[in-house]
Every structure is written in structure tokens, then in C-alpha cells.
Amino acid sequence: MNKLTGIRRLVLDVLKPHHPSTIELAETLSVIDGITGVNIGLYEVDQKTENIKITIEGDQIDYNVVRQAIEKLGAVVHSIDEVAAGNRLVEEVPTLQDR
């Protein structure tokens, strides 16, 4: 039987207040066990909030721990836009439907 390999990549759509900063959020997530890298992109800003996309990579990402860390900083996960699991990351490739 194969050993479970866990989540290796998560892409999250997150709504956060202006404070704490995106830098603080990235630093907080980057030190969670199982996470090897965090990338945060800002997509929309209004008077009180920011809409961001968080890409997380690692070997054994625990979504519940990530979600709790995000919520502790006053943000909320709107959606899980991508999940990758297994022995290696599989990159998405364009298909005829994407044209």
C-alpha cells in the first residue's frame, strides 16, 4: 500500500483587512510545519479589505492549520482554487476547452 503524501500546493482566495500586512501574513504562514514557500498576490483593494491570492507549497500542508492561522489574523478563506497532492506537483496544461 502507498503511503499518503499529503497536500503539496494550495491556492486560496482570501479576503483580509488592511492590517495586519500581507508581509506579516506571508511570514506567519511560512513558518507553519510542512510549508516550504508562500506567495501572496494582491488583486483588489477597497476601503476596509484586500482580496488576495495565496499560493502555498510544501510537503505536508495541513489545510486546517493554514485556515486557522489566516482566520487568527482576521482574514477569511473565500475559496480553495487549487489543490495538488502526491509524490510530485503536476502542472496544469491547456486543453482545447481553454481556447
Side-chain angles (χ1 to χ4, degrees), residues 66-85:
V66 169
R67 182 183 47 78
Q68 289 170 2
I70 289 169
E71 290 174 354
K72 189 174 182 178
L73 292 175
V76 63
V77 176
H78 271 182
S79 63
I80 301 171
D81 294 345
E82 182 181 332
V83 177

Side-chain angles (χ1 to χ4, degrees), residues 10-11 13-14 23 25 29 33 42-43 51-52 59-60 62 71 76 78 80 83 86 91:
L10 276 175
V11 179
D13 178 13
V14 173
I23 293 169
L25 178 56
L29 295 174
D33 286 341
L42 177 65
Y43 286 91
N51 189 1
I52 58 176
D59 297 321
Q60 294 285 333
D62 184 333
E71 290 174 354
V76 63
H78 271 182
I80 301 171
V83 177
E91 299 303 328

Side-chain angles (χ1 to χ4, degrees), residues 16-52:
K16 68 173 273 310
H18 294 300
H19 300 286
S21 70
T22 303
I23 293 169
E24 184 177 341
L25 178 56
E27 290 173 337
T28 298
L29 295 174
S30 71
V31 297
I32 293 174
D33 286 341
I35 293 178
T36 57
V38 176
N39 182 9
I40 300 179
L42 177 65
Y43 286 91
E44 188 177 342
V45 178
D46 69 20
Q47 283 186 326
K48 296 182 180 181
T49 60
E50 300 172 357
N51 189 1
I52 58 176

